[in-house]
Amino acid sequence: SAVISQKPSRDICQRGTSLTIQCQVDSQVTMMFWYRQQPGQSLTLIATANQGSEATYESGFVIDKFPISRPNLTFSTLTVSNMSPEDSSIYLCSAEEGMNTEAFFGQGTRLTVV
Amino acid sequence: DAKTTQPTSMDCAEGRAANLPCNHSTISGNEYVYWYRQIHSQGPQYIIHGLKNNETNEMASLIITEDRKSSTLILPHATLRDTAVYYCIVRDSNYQLIWGAGTKLIIKP
């Protein structure tokens, strides 16, 4: 099973600033995803991070707000741009090795915007 | 919209089997059922998944009905550390995992 390291684990940021979250997988994976989980809620998919091309965003999420990079098969970043208190949430990175396989998750980044 | 339905919460005594039900009546023939759990303040943890046959691993057993419209996750000997939110999940037409509200399982001593 893949092991996912996510950094930072938590941060407190000023509104209007940006934070980049890193996701490192210990093996090459086919698919990587970014989720948001607001307090007491379930997971919401932000986007699929595509290796070598632009990420695929879900409804309600845009590239200008959540730019994503995936330079290779083991690494991705999510940036939360121009943050506001409404962006306070847990952000989770996920990876899958192939079709119909299980997804593995990082421990999440707990973001608080003040 | 979630394609699965689960009870909001359940209790189970420590040492007993925890049986968590899930309805997925609109599941298609080639869709797998996945189970994950999330312990407070941690990332989701994969438990098990299956297509139509019952599955067992070191964590749990998955029983899928013959018509595949429902399934049950069984934790054979629940411990206090099994207290978590358990998610029963299928994928949408874009292959994305659809996360519902899950079942909050509380293991009581």
Side-chain angles (χ1 to χ4, degrees):
Chain A
S1 60
V3 176
I4 299 178
S5 301
Q6 198 173 325
K7 295 192 295 187
S9 59
R10 60 178 62 231
D11 208 341
I12 301 174
C13 300
Q14 296 291 322
R15 67 177 67 200
T17 63
S18 298
L19 175 72
T20 296
I21 302 168
Q22 298 181 2
C23 178
Q24 178 72 57
V25 188
D26 69 347
S27 60
Q28 293 187 345
V29 291
T30 304
M31 291 169 281
M32 295 184 73
F33 305 92
W34 288 97
Y35 288 85
R36 182 173 72 183
Q37 187 173 29
Q38 296 183 309
Q41 304 295 313
S42 186
L43 279 69
T44 300
L45 180 65
I46 297 172
T48 301
N50 300 310
Q51 194 264 327
S53 64
E54 192 172 284
T56 304
Y57 290 85
E58 298 299 305
S59 175
F61 298 96
V62 295
I63 187 170
D64 291 345
K65 177 66 176 178
F66 299 101
I68 288 170
S69 78
R70 190 175 172 197
N72 56 48
L73 293 176
T74 65
F75 186 78
S76 179
T77 67
L78 168 76
T79 299
V80 186
S81 302
N82 188 25
M83 288 184 285
S84 67
E86 291 71 35
D87 296 320
S88 297
S89 190
I90 296 173
Y91 292 85
L92 292 153
C93 171
S94 170
E96 296 183 23
E97 293 174 332
M99 293 292 289
N100 294 320
T101 62
E102 61 269 34
F104 300 98
F105 286 82
Q107 288 303 297
T109 296
R110 183 179 295 273
L111 171 62
T112 302
V113 183
V114 297
Chain B
D1 292 334
K3 295 172 64 175
T4 62
T5 304
Q6 299 177 254
T8 302
S9 64
M10 294 180 63
D11 293 344
C12 179
E14 187 179 19
R16 304 295 293 270
N19 296 276
L20 291 89
C22 178
N23 288 321
H24 31 79
S25 58
T26 60
I27 195 170
S28 65
N30 60 349
E31 283 184 301
Y32 282 75
V33 179
Y34 297 81
W35 283 84
Y36 289 81
R37 72 181 182 184
Q38 190 172 26
I39 297 170
H40 183 63
S41 296
Q42 298 184 19
Q45 178 188 22
Y46 165 78
I47 301 173
I48 199 166
H49 72 292
L51 183 61
K52 51 182 147 182
N53 298 322
N54 297 337
E55 302 287 344
T56 295
N57 63 21
E58 64 278 4
M59 289 183 66
S61 294
L62 175 59
I63 309 298
I64 303 174
T65 58
E66 191 170 344
D67 64 8
R68 302 208 329 116
K69 292 185 177 182
S70 65
S71 61
T72 300
L73 179 75
I74 301 173
L75 308 178
H77 305 286
T79 70
L80 298 179
R81 289 182 294 181
D82 292 321
T83 293
V85 178
Y86 286 76
Y87 296 96
C88 168
I89 298 169
V90 296
R91 297 185 186 272
D92 66 10
S93 57
N94 294 318
Y95 193 70
Q96 307 304 342
L97 296 171
I98 303 174
W99 295 77
T103 296
K104 184 173 183 178
L105 175 66
I106 299 173
I107 307 300
K108 297 188 172 181

